[in-house]
Amino acid sequence: VRMGNDSAVTEFFLVGLSQYPELQLSLFVLCLIMYLIILLGNSLLIIISVVDSRLHTPMYFFLGNLSFLDICYTSSSIPQMLVMFMSEKKSISFLGCALQMVISLGLGSTECVLLAVMAYDRYAAICNPLRYPIIMNKVLYVHMAVWSWVIGCLNSLVQTVLTMVLPFCGNNVIDHLTCEILALLKLVCSDITMNVLVMTVGSIVLLMIPLLLIFVSYIFILSSILRINSAEGRKKAFSTCSAHLTVVILFYGSALFMYMKPKSKHTTASDEIIGLSYGVVTPMLNPIIYSLRNKEVKEAVKKVLSKHVYLQKI
């Protein structure tokens, strides 16, 4: 599948997990089911947060952004991954690969910032409940969401352009399920010091700093929750925060494993499974975690469903 040393690469071959042909059908079914759950769960959360006026708050605005982001993020890679599982020729065009990378990296970066913004929102709500409507006014929370998207997309654009202009010298076999930036950099036949530097700075700015902000926010949140007198109040505060914290641990755990560990020349099956959990499992669990942990979401779902049943009877 490799070409001559001087020839330009026009397509890439994605051979991730292809060493397990007996698993291809199982992976196809599993990813398809998870993708359908992602589309259904996240769409439902967006619809409910728009339809139910009680959910017109900063928290649900950010949650709607997160759900929309997860739908776009998974749609940039899962449909193509499903085709790869069932196809003999596991190729993707150079432009298609660049597009997939810029979208998935951009949305992944945006999610890092958005989760930190959501932690600040919870901090403001629990630590300053009386001043919360003034602190988190509409102008501020819309700006915070917009800047999350802008920062994430700019980071992705810079990293993708810096990668795709490099010479691949005919190396076009990506040992991964998607056009993932780390897997692609392994094929480059020139110096990638600049790329590693930009990626390290990006990882610190978009992974480490938001994680530190989330950690600090939750120290303040926890101390405030423990000072709440009523057991019911403590339970409600813990409920919304534990949902957000579960999502943070899942997302950052797999992201840190992928981007902050020492780089080896060969991709292992465990790297690909972690990549799959980061790209498929977390977006699927997000709406489930927020729905199960949240009384307001459950009530809103019941309200929408009962209205639908009532309209059908008419």
Side-chain angles (χ1 to χ4, degrees):
V1 188
R2 297 186 182 235
M3 295 171 280
N5 237 16
D6 304 316
S7 59
V9 169
T10 55
E11 64 177 354
F12 291 99
F13 290 86
L14 297 158
V15 296
L17 295 177
S18 58
Q19 66 268 42
Y20 307 106
E22 68 284 355
L23 281 181
Q24 300 296 301
L25 183 62
S26 307
L27 284 167
F28 173 84
V29 173
L30 190 65
C31 287
L32 179 62
I33 292 167
M34 289 199 286
Y35 183 50
L36 292 173
I37 294 168
I38 288 164
L39 294 180
L40 189 70
N42 286 293
S43 300
L44 194 63
L45 258 180
I46 293 167
I47 292 162
I48 284 162
S49 60
V50 170
V51 169
D52 197 318
S53 56
R54 290 174 305 167
L55 304 184
H56 292 176
T57 63
M59 178 184 161
Y60 291 101
F61 175 74
F62 292 135
L63 200 49
N65 268 268
L66 187 67
S67 292
F68 177 68
L69 189 149
D70 281 340
I71 289 170
C72 297
Y73 178 75
T74 50
S75 297
S76 73
S77 56
I78 299 180
Q80 177 261 334
M81 208 189 287
L82 293 172
V83 172
M84 294 294 172
F85 285 140
M86 300 312 286
S87 144
E88 284 298 311
K89 190 176 185 250
K90 301 175 187 291
S91 66
I92 184 170
S93 69
F94 185 89
L95 193 64
C97 190
L99 195 64
Q100 190 184 77
M101 194 198 296
V102 80
I103 294 169
S104 60
L105 187 61
L107 297 175
S109 304
T110 303
E111 187 156 341
C112 291
V113 185
L114 199 58
L115 288 172
V117 164
M118 287 170 82
Y120 175 75
D121 172 62
R122 291 299 81 215
Y123 158 76
I126 291 163
C127 300
N128 297 290
L130 299 175
R131 291 182 62 237
Y132 177 67
I134 302 158
I135 297 168
M136 288 302 283
N137 58 72
K138 193 168 185 178
V139 174
L140 179 69
Y141 72 73
V142 169
H143 271 95
M144 287 169 101
V146 169
W147 276 108
S148 300
W149 286 87
V150 170
I151 293 164
C153 293
L154 276 175
N155 168 63
S156 166
L157 206 59
V158 169
Q159 292 208 37
T160 303
V161 169
L162 283 175
T163 302
M164 299 314 271
V165 294
L166 293 169
F168 291 97
C169 305
N171 296 339
N172 66 339
V173 181
I174 302 172
D175 193 7
H176 209 275
L177 292 162
T178 59
C179 284
E180 206 274 324
I181 192 163
L182 294 175
L184 217 71
L185 282 171
K186 288 174 186 175
L187 307 182
V188 173
C189 59
S190 67
D191 184 40
I192 59 163
T193 311
M194 182 65 175
N195 300 72
V196 172
L197 181 68
V198 171
M199 193 179 285
T200 306
V201 171
S203 295
I204 292 165
V205 172
L206 293 165
L207 273 173
M208 302 311 288
I209 292 174
L211 197 55
L212 185 68
L213 291 171
I214 290 166
F215 181 69
V216 171
S217 297
Y218 271 94
I219 289 172
F220 285 112
I221 287 167
L222 203 61
S223 64
S224 288
I225 288 173
L226 295 171
R227 285 201 300 271
I228 296 171
N229 292 326
S230 73
E232 187 58 39
R234 272 199 303 273
K235 191 182 170 188
K236 192 184 175 187
F238 262 123
S239 176
T240 54
C241 291
S242 62
H244 180 249
L245 210 51
T246 309
V247 170
V248 165
I249 291 163
L250 277 168
F251 178 80
Y252 277 100
S254 47
L256 286 168
F257 181 88
M258 293 240 317
Y259 293 99
M260 300 302 277
K261 69 184 178 70
K263 309 291 178 280
S264 64
K265 195 71 185 162
H266 302 287
T267 308
T268 62
S270 68
D271 284 356
E272 286 164 42
I273 299 298
I274 291 286
L276 208 58
S277 93
Y278 170 73
V280 185
V281 180
T282 311
M284 179 189 73
L285 291 177
N286 284 358
I288 297 168
I289 291 163
Y290 278 108
S291 306
L292 292 176
R293 285 281 190 181
N294 206 307
K295 198 176 165 186
E296 288 166 326
V297 173
K298 284 182 199 170
E299 282 173 7
V301 171
K302 280 178 194 167
K303 189 179 164 187
V304 169
L305 290 175
S306 59
K307 195 181 278 184
H308 179 69
V309 170
Y310 175 72
L311 287 170
Q312 274 193 330
K313 281 179 182 174
I314 294 168

